[in-house]
Amino acid sequence: MPDVLVAGGGPTGLLTAYELERAGLDVLVLERDARPTTQSKALAVQPRSIEVLEDRGLLAAVEPYVEARLPAGHFSGIRIDYADLPTRFPYQLGVEQAYVAAAIEARLRTPVLRGAAVTAVEQDDEGVTVTAGGRDHRAGWLVAADGGHSTVRTLLRAAFPGTSARFSLVVADFTLASKPAGLADDWQLPSGTAGFLLPLSGGRYRAVVGGEEQQRLGRDAPVTAEELQRALTDAYGPGIEVGEVLWASRFGDAARQLERYRHGRVLFAGDAAHIHLPVGGQGLNLGLQDAVNLGWKLAAQVRGHAPDGLLDSYHDERHPVSARVLVSTRAQGGLGVPDPYAAAVREIVAGLLAGPEARRSVALELSGIGITYPGIIGRATGVPVAPDGRAVLVGASLPVGWADRVETREGTEPQLVRPDGYVVWAGGPGLDTALRRWFGPNE
Ligand SMILES: Cc1cc2nc3c(=O)[nH]c(=O)nc-3n(C[C@H](O)[C@H](O)[C@H](O)COP(=O)(O)OP(=O)(O)OC[C@H]3O[C@@H](n4cnc5c(N)ncnc54)[C@H](O)[C@@H]3O)c2cc1C
């Protein structure tokens, strides 16, 4: 019997499984789809997520698929320069989400059981029984990373408050039979929330459109080549001609967040826990960071040395981060509405964001570099995570009793780094207290 079941083999579920197996747990991923997806909703990986991938040795596998390094993010299409961010990676990676997921999956020893859609979940005091693909699976814990329409969330009747979609957009990947004059051949930051067109590898293009026709059509109406052609002609003129539509889907600006990320022995992560307009490229990044926050805490819980409240600190730390992304994406959606009032607010906001302080504060938020939690001193930079999921103590001697949970390294800058890369002690008194608070009693 595995220690943990993970529902959903998207980027969040795969990275959670990776974190758990690094810490020595037996994990099984249950994935609905029969084959790994080649379709990518997300195209942007933010600086903090690049750090997370690099720390784990996963970045090298993503690099060959990187199509752009964009030295800025954007707030509803208003450019937010990243140049002075305190990171080795002051840029967004333009890379298709499917390659990020594939890079993580390639490193997993954990099996990914495909064609295994979760249809029932029962929990008791000892564990969780999950029915998937017509079979029952039992484990101590379940991580629900089954995406924005999470079945687990529905089965548990978990409260998911927020706001419903007010507008609808289409995302599509396609080839062009004819290109409009002046269409850029490299990646550009979008200049608004209502649409963009950019070239992908292999002669494919990605468009997001959200005109009047998209507002009229129902959420479940299939996206046709004709609808896409009309929207692109409206935006780019008669010179553009759609060839083959490779993938298309509708999405909106619904913004919701689980009231509680933990329901007994079930923990929610990624889009299963929070949904919002994908403006500014935040969702995939939230999911990756949920995964690294949750992984070591759940591993400590399973191994029996988690201090009181450690597992619940997953909700306490990550819920406010997503809540803030909901605020940011709602604001960005509001600025993108094509009416004179939104345009007026946009003009004022763009003016304010030209100031260095406002720009930097938004850059810290969008990039994830500014994320912090109560009791955290900062992000560790240049301290790669331990391969076995232990914390890392640099430049100090480890008191007796924690060696199974903390690796020691030489160094001149003393610091104690949690397995998710956050510093909880940086020299001076308090090492013992920090060890107990985060890693449990000495044994
Ligand atoms: C148009 C668009 C553009 C976006 N652009 C960006 C961007 O640039 N940057 C960014 O950070 N984010 C972006 N996002 C958001 C990002 O794509 C998501 O936040 C991300 O996919 C979340 O990953 P996840 O693993 O949590 O969920 P998903 O990627 O949805 O993965 C969930 C997995 O669970 C599986 N599953 C579903 N139901 C079940 C079940 N019952 N049983 C078992 N498995 C199940 C699914 O098959 C899937 O593999 C964008 C989203 C959209 C719609």
Side-chain angles (χ1 to χ4, degrees):
M1 170 173 122
D3 299 305
V4 180
L5 296 168
V6 175
T12 305
L14 292 170
L15 190 60
T16 307
Y18 183 71
E19 293 297 279
L20 293 168
E21 78 169 34
R22 257 184 350 104
L25 265 51
D26 279 334
V27 186
L28 174 64
V29 177
L30 303 166
E31 165 55 45
R32 177 193 62 196
D33 292 350
R35 275 176 296 281
T37 182
T38 52
Q39 296 154 357
S40 291
K41 292 178 281 184
L43 298 179
V45 178
Q46 298 288 347
R48 178 62 188 143
S49 298
I50 308 176
E51 291 182 347
V52 162
L53 294 173
E54 214 258 339
D55 271 356
R56 284 154 185 75
L58 294 165
L59 186 61
V62 174
E63 290 279 1
Y65 306 101
V66 169
E67 300 193 34
R69 284 182 175 71
L70 297 166
H74 72 96
F75 186 85
S76 192
I78 301 164
R79 184 188 165 97
I80 304 291
D81 202 17
Y82 281 177
D84 62 352
L85 284 176
T87 170
R88 280 168 295 152
F89 307 105
Y91 47 79
Q92 296 187 71
L93 284 186
V95 60
E96 295 178 47
Q97 168 175 334
Y99 294 118
V100 177
I104 304 167
E105 187 166 350
R107 284 279 293 278
L108 274 184
R109 280 175 282 109
T110 292
V112 178
L113 197 61
R114 293 192 172 276
V118 172
T119 50
V121 176
E122 296 286 340
Q123 54 174 323
D124 52 53
D125 290 348
E126 264 92 57
V128 187
T129 303
V130 176
T131 311
R135 271 189 53 199
D136 283 353
H137 301 268
R138 176 92 182 152
W141 299 84
L142 169 66
V143 175
D146 53 340
H149 299 286
S150 171
T151 305
V152 179
R153 197 177 65 217
T154 307
L155 289 168
L156 266 58
R157 295 196 176 84
F160 195 47
T163 45
S164 302
R166 295 175 316 162
F167 55 86
S168 178
L169 299 116
V170 161
V171 55
D173 291 351
F174 51 90
T175 59
L176 279 180
S178 129
K179 254 170 60 168
L183 179 65
D185 278 329
D186 56 350
W187 283 35
Q188 312 279 325
L189 289 167
S191 56
T193 49
F196 64 81
L197 172 64
L198 59 84
L200 303 175
S201 60
R204 297 166 304 141
Y205 288 79
R206 156 72 52 99
V208 166
V209 293
E212 189 270 326
E213 184 174 5
Q214 285 66 53
Q215 310 319 311
R216 255 190 305 109
L217 291 170
R219 180 76 174 82
D220 296 325
V223 180
T224 62
E226 292 72 28
E227 178 191 350
L228 185 61
Q229 179 65 62
R230 279 191 293 275
L232 292 174
T233 305
D234 276 357
Y236 300 97
I240 191 163
E241 197 186 323
V242 174
E244 190 187 352
V245 180
L246 306 166
W247 169 63
S249 173
R250 292 183 201 280
F251 66 99
D253 66 334
R256 297 182 176 277
Q257 188 182 21
L258 277 177
E259 229 160 58
R260 287 181 294 125
Y261 283 12
R262 178 178 175 189
H263 286 245
R265 291 179 166 269
V266 181
L267 293 125
F268 288 86
D271 279 14
H274 35 72
I275 56 165
H276 53 81
L277 186 68
V279 60
Q282 299 290 291
L284 165 67
N285 297 273
L286 278 180
L288 296 177
Q289 284 151 45
D290 286 349
V292 299
N293 189 289
L294 174 59
W296 68 279
K297 295 174 179 174
L298 184 52
Q301 180 76 29
V302 171
R303 300 194 129 181
H305 55 62
D308 280 353
L310 182 72
L311 188 56
D312 289 327
S313 76
Y314 165 62
H315 168 95
D316 298 342
E317 291 186 345
R318 293 300 301 166
H319 191 277
V321 175
S322 313
R324 181 67 188 169
V325 168
L326 261 60
V327 168
S328 168
T329 50
R330 278 194 184 113
Q332 294 186 62
L335 289 185
V337 176
D339 78 33
Y341 294 92
V345 181
R346 185 184 184 81
E347 192 179 318
I348 301 289
V349 170
L352 293 172
L353 288 176
E357 267 178 47
R359 197 242 348 124
R360 187 174 159 84
S361 122
V362 173
L364 285 167
E365 216 170 273
L366 290 173
S367 64
I369 294 298
I371 292 170
T372 188
Y373 310 120
I376 295 299
I377 293 166
R379 274 157 43 254
T381 49
V383 184
V385 295
D388 55 6
R390 283 185 295 168
V392 178
L393 178 65
V394 183
S397 49
L398 184 67
V400 175
W402 278 287
D404 59 332
R405 286 156 277 164
V406 183
E407 177 189 305
T408 43
R409 291 193 200 149
E410 302 284 309
T412 49
E413 212 182 295
Q415 48 188 320
L416 175 61
V417 184
R418 298 195 325 191
D420 59 349
Y422 288 91
V423 179
V424 290
W425 171 84
L431 176 57
D432 233 71
T433 313
L435 286 164
R436 276 173 213 286
R437 168 166 180 198
W438 296 106
F439 310 117
N442 53 342
E443 284 157 357

